[in-house]
Amino acid sequence: METLPAAQKAELSLQSAMLYLLIACVVLIGAVVAWILTSNEARNEALRESRNNLDKAQQIARLGNWLWDLKCNEVYWSDQVYRNLGLSLHNNKASYEKFLECVHPDDRARVVKLVDEALENKQVYAIEHRVIWPGGEERIMCGAGEVIFDAQGHPVQMHGTIQDITERKRDENRKNEYAHLIYDLYNNAPCGYHSLDPQGLIVDINETALRWLGYSRNELVGKVMFCDLLSEDCVQLCWDKLGQLKKGGTLSNLELNVRCKDGRLFCVLLSSTALQSEDGEFRGSRCILVDYTERRRHEKELQQAAVVFDAIREAVIITDDARNIVAVNNAFTEITGYTLEDVYGRNPRLQQSGRHDKTFYQSLWRSITEHGHWQGEIENKRRNGEIYPAWQNINVVYDRNGKIANYVSVFSDISVIKEKEKQLRHLANHDSLTGLPNRLLFFNSLEISLERAKRRRMEVALMFIDLDRFKIINDTMGHEAGDILLKTVARRLSEAVRGEDMVARLGGDEFTISLEELSNTEDAAAMAGKLIETIRQPIHIGGHEIVCSASIGIAIFPHDADSAQNLARAADAAMYRAKELHRNTFEFYTSELTERAIEHLTLSSEMRQALERNEFELYYQPQFNLASGKLVGAETLLRWRHPTRGLITPYCFINIAEDSALIDPIGRWVINQLCRDVAGWLKEGLKLPRIAFNVSGKQLEHYDVKGRIEHALQRWGLEPSDLDLELEVTEGALQYEERSVEVLRQVRSLGLSVAIDDFGTGYSSLSRLKRMPIDTLKIDRMFIRDLPEDPNNQALASGIILLGRALGLKVVAEGVENVEQLRFLQERDCDEVQGFLLSKPLPKAAFAKLLKGEGLPVIPPASLTVVRKPAASD
């Protein structure tokens, strides 16, 4: 092997070293590159996180930043800038022009001017302006910017921020408005306000107090109120009260005299509250001043007048111009029973007795309005409900401007005078034993009634009543027993007739009754029958039970006579004819009226045929809940479709049915037909309300009502538990108390409810009512008919509703025919109503449509109208 020269070996060694060094450098460079790449990725991740945090912070602060490269006219907006301008990040390129498009047109020129000035004057700018979002919403922005210049002083960049300050500005505006409002209230309040420091120095005082006292604010701030402003007699009092305030107390309505700048004294009422620090240290007080000058003067005048006011014997009422009571005297309290606290602020109409009509009060107020006063006799009501007569004067008091300031009423109780007059009149016009009108008063009243009937073209019935065999009772039991009998009969007759009818005793055992405004002669016959039954009720005298009968003669004006005397003769003749025939009955004067009895026999015969020919029909009158307006029940009503007379109501034949023993087969037909209809409706899937049917007193007394009902239910496959049936009985049925209670309890055991029909017109007493197993009271239509005008019907209807509520009974009003009646019953919380206003009695098919919801009336609460949806058949 050839040995290389030393120089060549040295060169090879150097080359090898250089190679190793190169390799080491390459490795080192690779390691550095790897480190740089790893470091950049970490920094990029940190940068992204930093940007996200910045974006979140900008969203919270609603603060976006922007950069404008002036050389290349490129603009950068942060995401929050887009949000502040209401723009989408993807569809809008950032530019100065785009920004100006968003600025409110009224603010755009101001923004451009400020940016131009910043570029020219090398200054930082800040501005508040509005922007309009694409949807039209207006927002308020706070913008700021700064220009960056190069070494030659040329602008190269502008950067800045834009913040949405809408909510902040709105809050500021609200606070400013509230502050101005508080300031105005403080300075223009009708009361004076001022603040004191712990030493009693005035710290602040409002304009009202300054105006009262005549000072400027600078003249009073820093003054010691208690020394510098108060009269000498008030200073020590106020220092004492200040001591109370320092202990955390309050002052209320302290009367003080404050000295004004012009030297006069100004009377005020001062109320003050202490101001304390958190640790309880007294820091001063806030005070309220009320002008008391005029009030103090008025009080002195009133004190003088009060002595006279309470000394006079006549009652005095003073009202304001709105006729609300503001003052009464002691005599008023003594006469009426009302104190000032009872009547203050109320209208004097609370004394109205209800015995004067609207015309009376219209005339009274017409006199007051036209002449400034009224004087006359009036009937008022005391607090305890007692009616008393008064002689009253009412005068108007006018103020300086001629406007009404007060009404003054002065009256005296003339009960003693009127009672004496009444006693004298009563002695002259009434029977001393029974208290009934005597012959003189009766015939005077009868002549007036006949004149009234003549004008109105109405009929009047005159009844002469003679007690059968009264002489025997009087002779065998004594005159004292006879007197008791006469008084009992007189009371029963009075209770049996209407309020407008008159009962009188002519003498001995003869009574007479006049019935006004007859619709037909059948009304007189019905009343006569009722009176005979009333008189026949047993009377217990001295341990004996006496049954007394009566004979009644009836004459009708103007058919039988045209004068009171002639009518009396006709009625007397008819009465004797009744006695001659069979007693315990009534007779009409004319043969024509007597022939109506024959017609009753004919109807009785035809009713038997009607049952065989199936001429009877059932109608259903809906009942509605007043609170909800829903259909909650129906009353089953019988109708007779007579082949020649047409559709006849029970009023024309039911009494005949009771007298002829037809009431039982007719009653069985009603119950059977009702169950048949109900079964049919249930088969159709209809939801049924409560359905009531009537049972007469004769049925309760003589027939098996429970058995009749059970038989009908079984025949048509009905279970009482699946139905809501109600049995209605008239008040007359309550006279057979023991039997009635037993029958009604049997009926209720079947699951039926029980209602008293025509309540208030019959025989019931509260003691009997309490013992009767009943669920419902039905107010008779005669008490609804004249509502709300008739005060008596108002009282009776309201009383029945309250009675039912007290006994836990449902109350249903019958015969509701107008909106005023409905509204009256709504205001008294009557439970349910029925009547022509809401629905007439409906045949089976029409009622079925109502059950399906067709044609139901709408009853708004306390409404003035009733809206009825048309049925398909309308």
Side-chain angles (χ1 to χ4, degrees):
M1 184 173 187
E2 188 177 355
T3 302
L4 297 174
Q8 192 172 9
K9 287 180 180 181
E11 183 178 355
L12 288 173
S13 297
L14 180 60
Q15 289 178 354
S16 296
M18 290 294 290
L19 178 63
Y20 289 136
L21 179 60
L22 179 61
I23 292 171
C25 288
V26 169
V27 172
L28 179 61
I29 291 170
V32 171
V33 169
W35 177 81
I36 290 174
L37 291 175
T38 303
S39 178
N40 284 342
E41 184 177 351
R43 280 198 298 271
N44 288 337
E45 179 64 28
L47 182 60
R48 282 193 295 272
E49 183 177 356
S50 177
R51 286 179 176 174
N52 288 336
N53 291 337
L54 177 61
D55 185 63
K56 290 179 182 178
Q58 287 192 351
Q59 285 189 58
I60 294 172
R62 297 189 178 183
L63 177 68
N65 68 293
W66 52 268
L67 178 66
W68 183 10
D69 190 332
L70 299 174
K71 287 187 176 181
C72 57
N73 194 28
E74 290 186 359
V75 177
Y76 161 78
W77 288 346
S78 69
D79 293 350
Q80 188 58 36
V81 174
Y82 284 93
R83 296 188 193 101
N84 287 350
L85 297 178
L87 300 177
S88 169
L89 277 70
H90 306 291
N91 301 327
N92 295 279
K93 186 177 186 305
S95 69
Y96 180 55
E97 291 74 19
K98 188 66 177 178
F99 164 73
L100 290 179
E101 287 178 10
C102 297
V103 175
H104 193 287
D106 294 344
D107 296 344
R108 198 171 293 155
R110 187 163 54 90
V111 171
V112 172
K113 180 182 178 183
L114 202 61
V115 171
D116 292 342
E117 288 177 351
L119 291 170
E120 292 176 7
N121 302 326
K122 301 180 180 181
Q123 61 186 22
V124 177
Y125 76 89
I127 185 173
E128 288 185 6
H129 62 84
R130 294 166 293 173
V131 298
I132 299 178
W133 284 4
E137 183 179 353
E138 187 177 298
R139 309 289 292 181
I140 302 174
M141 302 292 155
C142 178
E146 182 179 16
V147 182
I148 298 175
F149 297 86
D150 59 13
Q152 289 74 34
H154 299 127
V156 292
Q157 272 188 357
M158 180 179 282
H159 62 89
T161 61
I162 180 168
Q163 184 178 20
D164 188 341
I165 60 170
T166 306
E167 279 67 33
R168 189 183 77 193
K169 295 297 289 184
R170 288 173 180 170
D171 288 343
E172 289 176 359
N173 291 337
R174 281 194 291 268
K175 290 178 182 178
N176 290 335
E177 290 173 0
Y178 182 72
H180 282 105
L181 176 62
I182 295 299
Y183 181 80
D184 289 339
L185 289 174
Y186 174 77
N187 276 299
N188 298 307
C191 301
Y193 294 98
H194 66 274
S195 302
L196 304 180
D197 69 5
Q199 288 73 42
L201 297 177
I202 298 174
V203 177
D204 190 25
I205 186 167
N206 74 341
E207 292 293 335
T208 302
L210 293 172
R211 189 166 56 252
W212 287 349
L213 303 177
Y215 289 98
S216 67
R217 191 181 305 274
N218 292 335
E219 290 176 316
L220 289 185
V221 172
K223 295 275 188 180
V224 181
M225 178 183 177
F226 302 137
C227 294
D228 299 335
L229 294 180
L230 298 181
S231 61
E232 294 178 359
D233 57 324
C234 297
V235 172
Q236 188 57 47
L237 174 64
C238 284
W239 281 119
D240 295 340
K241 296 297 182 180
L242 181 61
Q244 294 180 16
L245 280 177
K246 289 183 178 181
K247 297 176 183 178
T250 60
L251 296 180
S252 180
N253 294 331
L254 182 64
E255 186 175 339
L256 301 173
N257 288 318
V258 182
R259 192 170 301 282
C260 300
K261 187 174 182 179
D262 59 9
R264 61 186 174 86
L265 291 178
F266 187 74
C267 184
V268 297
L269 290 181
L270 180 140
S271 299
S272 184
T273 304
L275 301 175
Q276 293 180 326
S277 62
E278 294 182 359
D279 57 1
E281 180 184 357
F282 179 69
R283 302 297 298 271
S285 61
R286 289 198 181 99
C287 305
I288 299 175
L289 302 175
V290 177
D291 184 354
Y292 199 61
T293 306
E294 285 298 312
R295 187 172 172 183
R296 176 189 274 179
R297 182 176 62 82
H298 289 157
E299 284 180 351
K300 289 182 179 179
E301 293 175 352
L302 288 174
Q303 287 171 358
Q304 296 169 356
V307 176
V308 178
F309 186 65
D310 283 327
I312 61 174
R313 300 295 301 168
E314 288 78 12
V316 180
I317 303 174
I318 300 175
T319 76
D320 58 19
D321 61 331
R323 304 176 190 173
N324 297 315
I325 297 174
V326 296
V328 296
N329 68 345
N330 292 335
F332 172 84
T333 300
E334 292 172 2
I335 292 174
T336 67
Y338 289 106
T339 64
L340 177 60
E341 289 75 17
D342 295 330
V343 300
Y344 185 83
R346 300 177 64 183
N347 192 290
R349 71 168 64 96
L350 63 87
Q351 298 183 95
Q352 288 183 5
S353 63
R355 295 184 177 179
H356 300 291
D357 58 15
K358 291 182 179 179
T359 305
F360 174 85
Y361 290 106
Q362 288 171 352
S363 175
L364 181 153
W365 283 105
R366 188 182 305 113
S367 175
I368 294 173
T369 303
E370 294 176 358
H371 307 293
H373 68 274
W374 176 85
Q375 177 179 276
E377 185 177 320
I378 191 170
E379 288 189 270
N380 287 331
K381 182 169 65 176
R382 305 187 207 274
R383 183 178 183 179
N384 61 9
E386 178 187 349
I387 307 298
Y388 69 96
W391 184 259
Q392 189 164 358
N393 289 271
I394 303 176
N395 290 279
V396 182
V397 178
Y398 299 95
D399 62 16
R400 297 175 183 175
N401 300 318
K403 295 183 178 179
I404 296 175
N406 301 97
Y407 296 93
V408 178
S409 171
V410 180
F411 63 90
S412 56
D413 184 350
I414 58 172
S415 299
V416 175
I417 298 173
K418 300 295 290 186
E419 185 60 30
K420 289 180 179 179
E421 292 177 353
K422 182 179 178 181
Q423 289 173 0
L424 292 173
R425 286 196 303 270
H426 192 274
L427 290 173
N429 294 291
H430 288 79
D431 173 49
S432 59
L433 176 64
T434 62
L436 294 175
N438 58 16
R439 180 183 295 271
L440 175 63
L441 177 58
F442 180 80
F443 279 102
N444 287 339
S445 300
L446 180 60
E447 288 176 353
I448 295 172
S449 298
L450 297 184
E451 286 297 324
R452 184 163 53 241
K454 187 183 297 183
R455 290 194 303 270
R456 298 178 180 177
R457 297 183 179 180
M458 300 290 290
E459 295 179 344
V460 175
L462 179 62
M463 294 183 178
F464 268 40
I465 305 170
D466 187 85
L467 302 183
D468 299 330
R469 300 182 179 87
F470 172 76
K471 188 176 185 301
I472 297 174
I473 298 172
N474 202 42
D475 292 344
T476 56
M477 300 188 65
H479 293 290
E480 184 177 351
D483 288 348
I484 294 174
L485 176 60
L486 290 173
K487 288 192 286 187
T488 303
V489 170
R491 176 177 55 79
R492 290 180 176 179
L493 293 176
S494 299
E495 292 173 350
V497 300
R498 303 170 300 176
E500 60 265 32
D501 303 327
M502 176 175 279
V503 181
R505 182 185 176 210
L506 301 183
D509 62 343
E510 290 188 352
F511 297 87
T512 187
I513 298 176
S514 64
L515 305 177
E516 292 192 58
E517 298 186 359
L518 288 181
S519 300
N520 49 60
T521 53
E522 284 80 0
D523 290 348
M527 177 59 75
K530 178 180 177 182
L531 294 176
I532 289 173
E533 288 297 319
T534 299
I535 295 171
R536 277 184 57 82
Q537 299 307 309
I539 302 173
H540 297 275
I541 302 176
H544 299 279
E545 183 177 275
I546 299 174
V547 177
C548 180
S549 64
S551 300
I552 301 177
I554 308 172
I556 305 295
F557 171 87
H559 307 293
D560 301 331
D562 57 0
S563 68
Q565 294 299 327
N566 291 337
L567 196 65
R569 293 190 189 98
D572 192 43
M575 183 265 292
Y576 278 107
R577 184 167 58 188
K579 276 188 171 296
E580 291 169 359
L581 292 175
H582 33 60
R583 298 178 184 271
N584 191 37
T585 188
F586 63 88
E587 283 292 327
F588 284 96
Y589 172 68
T590 65
S591 58
E592 177 185 353
L593 294 176
T594 305
E595 288 170 1
R596 292 187 181 273
I598 300 173
E599 183 180 0
H600 288 178
L601 294 174
T602 304
L603 280 175
S604 177
S605 175
E606 290 177 341
M607 267 191 285
R608 295 181 190 276
Q609 298 174 0
L611 282 168
E612 298 170 359
R613 298 171 181 171
N614 200 29
E615 293 175 359
F616 290 110
E617 298 177 8
L618 290 186
Y619 276 58
Y620 298 90
Q621 182 159 35
Q623 298 169 333
F624 297 90
N625 183 284
L626 269 182
S628 66
K630 293 181 179 179
L631 171 68
V632 293
E635 180 182 3
T636 306
L637 301 173
L638 181 63
R639 296 290 185 267
W640 178 7
R641 193 167 294 281
H642 194 279
T644 59
R645 303 174 189 236
L647 198 64
I648 304 176
T649 65
Y651 175 80
C652 301
F653 62 85
I654 205 68
N655 290 334
I656 302 172
E658 288 185 337
D659 294 338
S660 61
L662 283 171
I663 193 66
D664 182 53
I666 291 176
R668 279 182 294 169
W669 183 90
V670 168
I671 296 172
N672 181 72
Q673 187 62 37
L674 170 61
C675 290
R676 181 179 181 179
D677 290 349
V678 167
W681 289 328
L682 290 176
K683 189 174 181 180
E684 293 178 34
L686 297 177
K687 184 178 180 181
L688 301 184
R690 180 187 67 253
I691 299 183
F693 61 99
N694 293 276
V695 173
S696 74
K698 289 289 180 67
Q699 289 173 275
L700 290 180
E701 184 182 13
H702 299 294
Y703 303 105
D704 181 11
V705 176
K706 179 187 177 186
R708 305 283 196 270
I709 297 173
E710 284 181 317
H711 179 267
L713 291 173
Q714 291 171 5
R715 179 179 178 184
W716 296 103
L718 299 174
E719 290 293 332
S721 59
D722 298 332
L723 306 172
D724 189 3
L725 295 180
E726 186 173 77
L727 182 140
E728 290 188 6
V729 294
T730 61
E731 268 193 284
L734 300 182
Q735 60 183 305
Y736 315 108
E737 182 177 356
E738 184 175 347
R739 169 66 178 166
S740 300
V741 170
E742 178 59 25
V743 173
L744 296 181
R745 283 177 177 164
Q746 292 175 4
V747 169
R748 291 188 83 191
S749 71
L750 294 176
L752 277 70
S753 55
V754 177
I756 299 296
D757 197 16
D758 301 333
F759 183 78
T761 63
Y763 185 78
S764 64
S765 66
L766 292 180
S767 61
R768 282 192 172 91
L769 186 66
K770 183 176 66 176
R771 292 191 291 271
M772 284 288 170
I774 59 175
D775 307 280
T776 303
L777 294 181
K778 297 191 72 175
I779 306 174
D780 186 74
R781 66 183 65 247
M782 70 180 294
F783 302 132
I784 305 298
R785 181 174 55 207
D786 295 325
L787 289 178
E789 292 82 10
D790 187 339
N792 293 326
N793 277 7
Q794 282 189 18
L796 288 169
S798 300
I800 293 173
I801 293 171
L802 291 174
L803 175 64
R805 189 177 302 134
L807 295 177
L809 304 176
K810 181 167 71 257
V811 180
V812 181
E814 300 182 295
V816 177
E817 297 183 354
N818 59 58
V819 173
E820 290 73 21
Q821 294 169 354
L822 183 70
R823 189 172 185 187
F824 176 90
L825 295 167
Q826 284 177 317
E827 293 171 352
R828 270 69 179 177
D829 293 329
C830 182
D831 297 309
E832 298 174 12
V833 294
Q834 68 183 78
F836 280 19
L837 174 66
L838 302 176
S839 175
K840 296 180 179 180
L842 302 173
K844 174 185 174 182
F847 184 66
K849 290 183 178 180
L850 205 64
L851 293 176
K852 296 174 183 177
E854 299 179 21
L856 282 171
V858 178
I859 310 175
S863 66
L864 296 179
T865 58
V866 175
V867 182
R868 181 174 172 271
K869 297 179 181 178
S873 60
D874 287 354

